[in-house]
C-alpha cells in the first residue's frame, strides 16, 4: 500500500458497479479539476465585477470560501475511498482553464484505443470563380460584432 490508494479488490457496491461498467466495455474515466483557493477567489471576484457573469455566482459559491478546508477534506476522503487501480481518479491542475482543458482532452484521447482507418486520398479541384455573380454589399446584412 502506498498510503493513498487502498488496493483491495473491492470496497463495496460502488466498485461492483464500476467493474460491471468496465466489464461491459465502457471506458470509465474519472477527472477532478483542481483549482487553488487563490484562483477560486480570483474567479469569484471576476464574476462579482462582471455583469455578464455575476449570475454564475451562487450563495453556495460565496459560502464555499469559508468551507474550503472542509470541501478539501471531503474530496480527499472521497479520493481515498474511490481511487482504485481498475478505476483511478485523474487530477487536472486547473488554475489555467485553457491549459487544463487541453491537457484533459489529450489525456482522454490517450486512454481510448483506436486504429488508423485507411481512406482514399482526396484532392480538391482548383476553384474557378464564376464571372456572372456579384455578391451583395455587406451593409445589407447584420453581422455579429467581432470582439476577439
Amino acid at each position: 500500500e502506498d498510503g493513498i490508494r487502498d488496493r483491495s479488490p473491492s470496497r463495496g457496491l460502488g466498485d461492483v458497479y464500476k467493474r460491471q461498467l468496465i466489464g461491459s466495455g465502457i471506458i470509465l474515466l474519472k477527472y477532478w479539476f483542481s483549482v487553488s483557493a487563490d484562483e477560486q477567489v480570483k474567479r469569484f471576484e471576476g464574476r462579482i465585477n462582471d455583469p455578464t457573469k455575476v449570475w454564475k455566482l451562487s450563495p453556495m459559491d460565496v459560502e464555499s470560501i469559508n468551507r474550503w478546508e472542509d470541501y478539501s477534506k471531503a474530496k480527499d476522503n472521497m479520493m481515498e475511498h474511490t481511487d482504485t487501480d481498475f478505476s483511478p481518479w485523474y487530477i487536472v491542475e486547473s488554475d489555467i482553464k485553457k491549459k487544463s482543458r487541453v491537457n484533459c482532452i489529450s489525456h482522454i484521447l490517450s486512454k481510448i484505443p483506436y486504429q488508423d482507418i485507411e481512406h482514399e486520398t482526396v484532392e480538391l479541384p482548383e476553384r474557378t470563380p464564376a464571372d456572372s455573380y456579384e455578391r451583395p454589399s455587406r451593409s445589407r446584412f447584420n453581422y455579429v460584432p467581432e470582439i476577439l
Side-chain angles (χ1 to χ4, degrees), residues 9-10 12-28 84 86-87:
S10 178
L13 292 176
D15 281 356
V16 171
Y17 179 66
K18 285 184 266 187
R19 285 183 189 276
Q20 287 175 334
L21 288 174
I22 294 165
S24 72
I26 291 174
I27 298 171
L28 180 61
T84 61
F86 70 91
S87 177

Side-chain angles (χ1 to χ4, degrees), residues 9 14 30 34 63 76 78 107 110 115 121 127 139 141-142:
K30 303 183 301 191
S34 181
E63 179 66 24
D76 292 340
M78 183 264 313
H107 188 264
S110 77
Q115 295 176 350
T121 303
R127 185 177 173 275
S139 64
F141 301 101
N142 297 307

Side-chain angles (χ1 to χ4, degrees), residues 5-117:
R5 288 188 181 181
D6 174 1
R7 302 201 187 275
S8 60
S10 178
R11 285 185 243 148
L13 292 176
D15 281 356
V16 171
Y17 179 66
K18 285 184 266 187
R19 285 183 189 276
Q20 287 175 334
L21 288 174
I22 294 165
S24 72
I26 291 174
I27 298 171
L28 180 61
L29 300 173
K30 303 183 301 191
Y31 290 93
W32 183 272
F33 285 74
S34 181
V35 179
S36 68
D38 291 341
E39 178 61 23
Q40 191 71 330
V41 168
K42 278 177 31 182
R43 290 180 186 179
F44 288 167
E45 288 170 345
R47 290 176 187 166
I48 287 171
N49 297 320
D50 184 342
T52 65
K53 293 182 180 179
V54 70
W55 66 270
K56 291 180 169 185
L57 194 62
S58 71
M60 185 181 287
D61 291 329
V62 174
E63 179 66 24
S64 72
I65 291 173
N66 292 320
R67 294 181 182 250
W68 188 264
E69 283 73 25
D70 292 336
Y71 291 160
S72 294
K73 286 178 193 174
K75 184 266 301 180
D76 292 340
N77 185 44
M78 183 264 313
M79 292 275 187
E80 263 185 59
H81 290 90
T82 62
D83 184 32
T84 61
D85 286 337
F86 70 91
S87 177
W89 277 99
Y90 297 101
I91 299 170
V92 183
E93 294 292 347
S94 300
D95 279 1
I96 302 170
K97 286 183 182 182
K98 184 176 182 178
K99 181 179 170 183
S100 66
R101 290 171 183 163
V102 169
N103 287 338
C104 187
I105 290 168
S106 175
H107 188 264
I108 290 169
L109 293 175
S110 77
K111 294 295 181 183
I112 299 173
Y114 69 93
Q115 295 176 350
D116 286 333
I117 298 172

Side-chain angles (χ1 to χ4, degrees), residues 114-134:
Y114 69 93
Q115 295 176 350
D116 286 333
I117 298 172
E118 294 292 325
H119 57 83
E120 292 181 26
T121 303
V122 177
E123 291 186 30
L124 292 177
E126 237 182 87
R127 185 177 173 275
T128 53
D131 295 331
S132 62
Y133 180 69
E134 188 175 318

